[in-house]
Amino acid sequence: MSEAPTPAPPRRLVLGSTSRYRRELMERLRIPFDVAAPDVDETPRPGERPDELARRLALAKARAVAAMHPGAIVIGSDQVCDFDGEPLGKPGTHDNAVIQLRRMRGRAVVFQTAVAVVCTDAGFEAVELAPVKVRFRELSDEEIENYLRLDQPYDCAGSARSEGLGIAVVDAIESDDPTALIGLPLIRTCRMIRAAGVKVP
């Protein structure tokens, strides 16, 4: 009597990101995962739209990490602030953040958040976009200065951290994937990793 074949062990899940925000979001799913840093040039291409840039970089990050871990299921993500078709990245400094918020006050902008899932060995590759429309309040210079000094969102695209005090500088947020604005759309992420073979509780 032949023995039943031993089931294959589950594939490793790897988050291809050094972002603490994305890592904290992944921890909500209560499934084991590793973290690896993708080595990707994030320079926009000439004429590249923000949504195209976010998709391309999310996929590039997932592919870069998957090349190092071909048996793993790898998640890559990227977010670009879309200001009337102009990509706005992370400000990096206080002065740059002031400039960004002054430009966006009283305006609606779209945060283009893309997530990609790649498993090289299985030949699996998918990418989705989760746009989030954010309408900023008509902020005074004093309000901008106070907010930035308190929250210091210099590592956030668009110079605001919605999960922190940044929620007070906006009038409205419109999204079908609530965590997309923080940096990783978990509804889409769950759907894609399930399709790749991960059991999500």
Side-chain angles (χ1 to χ4, degrees), residues 148-162:
L148 292 176
R149 293 295 181 192
L150 289 168
D151 217 22
Q152 299 184 9
Y154 309 131
D155 60 346
C156 299
S159 303
R161 187 181 292 125
S162 65

Side-chain angles (χ1 to χ4, degrees), residues 51-70:
D51 59 328
E52 294 173 338
L53 175 61
R55 280 179 181 269
R56 178 174 65 81
L57 292 180
L59 192 53
K61 291 174 182 179
R63 284 173 173 169
V65 173
M68 298 183 288
H69 306 280

